[in-house]
Amino acid sequence: MKRYSTAVWKGTGKDGQGHLTSESQTLKNTPYSYNTRFENEIGTNPEELLAAAHAGCFTMQLAFYLQEAGYKADQLETKSTIKLEDSVITSSDLKLKASIKDISKEEFGELVEKAKNNCPVSKLFKAEISIHHTLNSE
């Protein structure tokens, strides 16, 4: 499987602007610029896209591991926060809230760690990856 996205940029790093388009068209000429990356202007930025990719990849990987172990999540909600320091992505902090019936906290924790370490996006990162999770098993 291969997927692609395209970035177009015009101008300088600080004063220029660009747009992103993904193969699926989910992103279609979506603006990004210095101000969307380092300020609060509306648009996207690479770190936000990496956060979405990591949250989505990890959550789906965990769903597969839960299925293999005989469980079905009522809901998995993951927030990924990407940290950029001195032009280096230094970490991705995953925060997971899960609602799964009849699973022990120990088994759940093992599956969470397995998903964190084995989702394809985690394997791509050289940054530190942390995970914090809560389980509602009622």
Side-chain angles (χ1 to χ4, degrees), residues 3-135:
R3 298 284 188 255
Y4 72 85
S5 292
T6 304
V8 175
W9 188 265
K10 295 179 182 178
T12 64
K14 188 165 185 176
D15 297 322
Q17 52 189 323
H19 63 268
L20 302 167
T21 300
S22 61
E23 180 177 5
S24 69
Q25 299 291 299
T26 299
L27 299 175
K28 187 172 182 178
N29 296 322
T30 303
Y32 79 112
S33 67
Y34 179 90
N35 291 333
T36 65
R37 191 171 192 185
F38 300 109
E39 305 294 336
N40 291 316
E41 189 173 296
I42 293 177
T44 194
N45 60 69
E47 291 74 30
E48 179 181 70
L49 296 171
L50 289 171
H54 201 199
C57 183
F58 162 79
T59 305
M60 184 180 279
Q61 187 71 57
L62 179 57
F64 278 117
Y65 287 151
L66 287 165
Q67 180 181 355
E68 288 173 6
Y71 302 101
K72 179 181 176 185
D74 293 322
Q75 180 168 308
L76 302 172
E77 178 183 325
T78 307
K79 177 182 179 180
S80 170
T81 302
I82 297 290
K83 189 174 189 180
L84 177 70
E85 295 179 297
D86 298 321
S87 298
V88 176
I89 294 172
T90 58
S91 66
S92 175
D93 181 48
L94 298 169
K95 292 197 184 333
L96 168 66
K97 294 178 187 176
S99 182
I100 307 163
K101 291 180 177 72
D102 302 322
I103 190 170
S104 71
K105 290 186 180 196
E106 293 77 22
E107 186 175 11
F108 175 69
E110 290 171 9
L111 293 174
V112 166
E113 281 295 316
K114 185 177 175 183
K116 179 193 81 153
N117 294 328
N118 292 297
C119 89
V121 173
S122 287
K123 290 180 178 183
L124 178 67
F125 287 149
K126 292 182 181 180
E128 176 186 336
I129 300 169
S130 60
I131 180 80
H132 310 278
H133 53 81
T134 59
L135 171 65

